[in-house]
Amino acid sequence: MSKKRKWDDDYVRYWFTCTTEVDGTQRPQCVLCNSIFSNADLRPSKLSDHFNRQHGGIGGHDLNSLKHMPTPSDQSDTLKAFGVASQEDALLQASYQFAYLCAKEKNPHTIAEKLVKPCALEIAQIVLGPDAQKKLQQVPLSDDVIHSRIDEMSKDILQQILEDIRASPLQVGIQLAETTDMGDCSQLMAFVRYIKEREIIEEFLFCEPLQPTTKGKDVFNLFRDFFLKHQIALDVCGSVCTDGASSMLGENSEFVACVKKEVPHIVITHCLLNPHELVTKTLPTELRDALFTVIRVINFIKGRAPNHRLFQAFFEEIGIEYSVLLFHTEMRWLSRGQILTHVFEMYEEINQFLHHQSSNLVDGFENKEFKIHLAYLADLFKHLNELSASMQRTGMNTVSAREKLSAFVRKFPFWLKRIEKRNFTNFPFLEEIIVSDNEAENIAAEITLHLQQLSNFFHGYFSVGDLDEASKWILDPFLFNLDFVDDGYLMKNDLAELRASGQILMEFETMKLEDFWCVQFTVFPNLAKTALEILIPFATTYLCELGFSSLLHFKTKSRSCFNVSDDIRVAISKKVPRFSDIIEQKLQLQQKSL
């Protein structure tokens, strides 16, 4: 980090005064035009250059004479009294707005002074004239300024979220996941779900590096320290949804043990967007070998630049639509299904290419048994992709997600019955290539064994449909049979009263389930509290996966040492910075420094 320069009272001879940032950084401000410069410009040569070029180099002044001049804040207050924004307010507003857009678009901070501002000055000179260009020149858009603005906006956004968490009438839900960025640094990301007024809000909470190790204890320490730093008790968290290695973030990990020690009644859920891994673990040997063969073929083509170029040229020559094999998609859990589908659809062309390259993978790839296994895997993972896609949305709760999983598993018996009759309607790729009874018999036996194992694993791993019968009034209090509720249940009277209201019925039919129960919080607090405690916990780490996609834009090879915490909060948070409050605080700090 570069050395910070210090203010010298002798600089007032160039009509500059000093402003001090929250972190103690001193910046020179021109009294004549209110322009604020970076700390790097705090030296006589820079100040003199601005003084001579912009203001004609009029005679110097000493500190005493400068103190008698009206301060920029006095001028600002006078203009505000007449409903007019001062020039300084306008410059600050423009600077903050650009920094906000820069973060939202995930651009580097230097883009302002290296590209945007020079372009804007040229346009202003050509279209609006030199006066407009002079005004634009005063907007502070240096790298340091943009970085400072984003930091301040990030703090304001975080402050808004922390205020909402403290005001939430119920415990909040946390979504937690870990990834490794381009600089091989482990990043822990968290989102929060809480109640504000009459709706459930989902917001970005933090993205912090894990150093030096990534054990469950390290994750817990970072997680706990965030709440301690902001003076919020850890028991504000009612649930945590994790996704990661079982040793680090799994249900039996050290992280979970530490959290439950601090908050004994916290609910720990595992992300439900992992059926692909579960399917892979249950694959019989023949199917697993087929999957690994596909991976080796992909690596042979994509992992070597000459092969990849030849592959593209080969497809262009034979006029095929596909010319690039998928390595991955933006959502990582969709990768395997997409790859299998593409390989199956390009099977003949890939086979020709492997022959052309004299690859030793040809024997395994062109085997008919391998093609049958590939077709089944492509069909199965396509079904899993559709299941995962149905759960990839904001607002997904554990009840809805587990209903979708339960519905998926309930299809298995129907699939098995059809397969026993050699009916492969549910597996269109497989149905397309099965030509003999012997082939159908062999693959039917393998599919039957695999689906039976998969069904057992789904029930044990994801706890499908674990909402008991007496609690299903949460999903529909009007059609629910009250006979399932014990007469000693204290809220049975509230349920009966709620069902008698036609207005509440209209609200239920027109609102989302979560919003409906938020609205009922003031009328039927006990019912709403019970319902929302089940609906608030996250079912997936979908938001974290979206955040990791944004992380790729910030942590690149050229920005590998960049600390993304503030930038990514401004980029993906739904909160908008309170610009007027930030600018007012900035002006007050500048006034105190005069």
Side-chain angles (χ1 to χ4, degrees):
M1 181 178 293
S2 60
K3 183 178 179 180
K4 291 184 179 180
R5 296 181 177 275
K6 300 293 185 180
W7 168 260
D8 190 318
D9 287 343
D10 188 53
Y11 296 160
V12 298
R13 70 173 59 252
Y14 307 112
W15 284 86
F16 273 86
T17 185
C18 178
T19 64
T20 305
E21 302 290 337
V22 178
D23 60 358
T25 302
Q26 295 179 323
R27 303 179 187 276
Q29 180 180 14
C30 179
V31 177
L32 299 174
C33 66
N34 297 328
S35 297
I36 301 176
F37 297 86
S38 68
N39 178 262
D41 294 327
L42 194 55
R43 46 185 172 177
S45 60
K46 291 285 186 179
L47 304 182
S48 174
D49 181 61
H50 172 80
F51 182 53
N52 293 326
R53 285 189 298 103
Q54 299 295 330
H55 306 298
I58 56 179
H61 293 259
D62 57 21
L63 183 62
N64 292 327
S65 63
L66 186 61
K67 286 181 177 179
H68 293 292
M69 293 187 61
T71 64
S73 59
D74 294 335
Q75 301 170 10
S76 176
D77 292 340
T78 303
L79 290 170
K80 285 180 180 178
F82 289 98
V84 180
S86 69
Q87 183 184 15
E88 184 177 13
D89 284 353
L91 295 175
L92 282 174
Q93 179 75 15
S95 179
Y96 277 102
Q97 287 288 353
F98 180 85
Y100 182 64
L101 293 174
C102 181
K104 278 292 183 184
E105 295 300 321
K106 309 174 186 68
N107 285 318
H109 302 167
T110 54
I111 195 173
E113 60 179 345
K114 289 186 176 180
L115 178 63
V116 176
K117 190 170 183 178
C119 290
L121 292 175
E122 288 294 331
I123 294 171
Q125 170 69 24
I126 297 170
V127 179
L128 302 174
D131 291 339
Q133 185 189 41
K134 187 176 180 181
K135 289 182 180 179
L136 281 178
Q137 180 67 46
Q138 298 172 16
V139 179
L141 293 178
S142 69
D143 182 14
D144 290 340
V145 168
I146 297 298
H147 180 74
S148 174
R149 301 286 189 258
I150 291 175
D151 287 352
E152 292 167 9
M153 289 186 289
S154 172
K155 291 175 183 176
D156 179 74
I157 289 172
L158 178 60
Q159 185 61 35
Q160 293 182 57
I161 295 170
L162 294 176
E163 290 171 0
D164 289 346
I165 291 175
R166 295 186 182 101
S168 178
L170 293 178
Q171 291 177 309
V172 304
I174 300 293
Q175 179 182 135
L176 205 64
E178 179 269 344
T179 191
T180 302
D181 60 30
M182 289 290 294
D184 291 331
C185 176
S186 181
Q187 300 280 350
L188 184 68
M189 188 175 291
F191 282 77
V192 62
R193 179 184 282 171
Y194 56 85
I195 298 174
K196 183 181 181 182
E197 297 174 353
R198 301 176 62 168
E199 62 178 332
I200 291 181
I201 304 295
E202 294 178 347
E203 263 297 348
F204 174 84
L205 192 59
F206 66 79
C207 179
E208 297 291 343
L210 279 168
Q211 297 175 343
T213 58
T214 58
K215 298 179 181 178
K217 183 70 173 178
D218 301 315
V219 175
F220 171 74
N221 289 337
L222 195 156
F223 178 69
R224 178 197 57 192
D225 292 346
F226 174 84
F227 286 93
L228 291 178
K229 176 183 176 181
H230 299 288
Q231 300 178 345
I232 297 179
L234 197 59
D235 59 9
V236 74
C237 302
S239 62
V240 176
C241 179
T242 64
D243 181 24
S246 58
S247 61
M248 185 170 65
L249 290 176
E251 293 184 358
N252 300 316
S253 66
E254 187 179 13
F255 167 78
V256 172
C258 293
V259 171
K260 287 189 173 182
K261 184 177 180 180
E262 292 280 338
V263 189
H265 302 295
I266 195 169
V267 176
I268 304 294
T269 60
H270 194 274
C271 175
L272 299 180
L273 287 175
N274 280 320
H276 298 77
E277 290 299 324
L278 189 60
V279 171
T280 304
K281 292 178 181 178
T282 60
L283 286 176
T285 304
E286 295 82 0
L287 292 172
R288 186 174 301 174
D289 290 343
L291 181 60
F292 290 158
T293 298
V294 172
I295 294 173
R296 286 194 292 269
V297 169
I298 295 292
N299 290 337
F300 173 76
I301 297 173
K302 294 280 287 186
R304 305 175 187 180
N307 284 349
H308 190 201
R309 290 194 297 269
L310 289 171
F311 184 74
Q312 290 177 311
F314 176 74
F315 269 64
E316 290 175 4
E317 182 179 342
I318 62 178
I320 299 298
E321 177 183 357
Y322 295 111
S323 62
V324 178
L325 285 175
L326 285 180
F327 248 151
H328 64 275
T329 61
E330 187 176 12
M331 291 296 125
R332 291 179 293 176
W333 53 79
L334 295 180
S335 303
R336 194 164 288 145
Q338 296 286 359
I339 288 173
L340 291 168
T341 299
H342 279 212
V343 170
F344 180 81
E345 291 176 344
M346 297 187 292
Y347 178 83
E348 295 299 334
E349 291 76 21
I350 294 175
N351 191 29
Q352 291 180 40
F353 180 77
L354 294 177
H355 272 287
H356 186 267
Q357 295 300 109
S358 302
S359 171
N360 56 7
L361 298 172
V362 170
D363 293 338
F365 190 81
E366 67 180 359
N367 184 283
K368 182 59 183 291
E369 186 177 351
F370 164 78
K371 189 175 182 180
I372 293 174
H373 290 154
L374 172 62
Y376 167 67
L377 290 173
D379 285 323
L380 180 60
F381 279 94
K382 187 175 181 180
H383 286 303
L384 292 171
N385 278 4
E386 293 171 355
L387 172 64
S388 295
S390 68
M391 294 188 287
Q392 292 168 36
R393 63 175 178 83
T394 57
M396 176 59 66
N397 56 65
T398 54
V399 176
S400 298
R402 283 177 173 143
E403 281 182 343
K404 292 180 181 295
L405 281 168
S406 179
F408 180 74
V409 175
R410 287 174 183 174
K411 296 177 183 177
F412 288 2
F414 305 119
W415 293 356
L416 289 171
K417 287 181 180 179
R418 293 190 182 107
I419 289 170
E420 287 178 4
K421 300 176 182 178
R422 306 299 181 263
N423 181 350
F424 299 99
T425 304
N426 299 112
F427 302 92
F429 290 151
L430 184 60
E431 187 178 36
E432 178 184 327
I433 64 170
I434 292 290
V435 293
S436 68
D437 293 339
N438 186 46
E439 291 174 348
E441 184 177 351
N442 291 337
I443 191 62
E446 294 182 41
I447 293 175
T448 300
L449 177 62
H450 181 230
L451 290 181
Q452 288 173 346
Q453 292 178 344
L454 191 59
S455 178
N456 295 333
F457 270 87
F458 261 99
H459 282 290
Y461 193 79
F462 290 117
S463 303
V464 177
D466 63 348
L467 190 63
D468 59 73
E469 198 68 35
S471 299
K472 290 186 177 179
W473 57 266
I474 294 170
L475 304 178
D476 192 336
F478 294 94
L479 295 181
F480 176 73
N481 188 350
L482 285 178
D483 293 337
F484 287 111
V485 180
D486 188 87
D487 291 334
Y489 192 52
L490 297 178
M491 289 182 287
K492 191 170 184 178
N493 291 338
D494 288 343
L495 273 173
E497 184 179 347
L498 181 146
R499 290 158 66 103
S501 172
Q503 180 180 352
I504 295 178
L505 175 60
M506 291 178 61
E507 292 176 349
F508 179 78
E509 291 175 342
T510 57
M511 301 175 69
K512 293 193 301 183
L513 185 63
E514 297 88 345
D515 294 342
F516 169 77
W517 285 116
C518 286
V519 170
Q520 305 310 316
F521 213 100
T522 55
V523 185
F524 300 101
N526 293 330
L527 289 177
K529 181 176 182 294
T530 302
L532 290 170
E533 284 178 346
I534 294 176
L535 296 175
I536 285 180
F538 284 104
T540 70
T541 55
Y542 171 66
L543 295 176
C544 286
E545 294 290 347
L546 287 180
F548 294 152
S549 297
S550 297
L551 188 64
L552 295 175
H553 294 277
F554 288 110
K555 293 300 286 283
T556 62
K557 290 183 179 180
S558 59
R559 304 171 76 192
S560 58
C561 298
F562 178 52
N563 189 339
V564 302
S565 300
D566 294 313
D567 284 71
I568 200 168
R569 175 175 290 113
V570 177
I572 66 180
S573 175
K574 299 175 185 176
K575 295 285 187 183
V576 178
R578 296 169 290 194
F579 290 107
S580 58
D581 294 345
I582 297 174
I583 292 173
E584 184 177 351
Q585 293 175 8
K586 172 76 70 176
L587 294 174
Q588 289 175 357
L589 287 173
Q590 292 176 3
Q591 183 180 7
K592 290 178 181 178
S593 65
L594 292 174

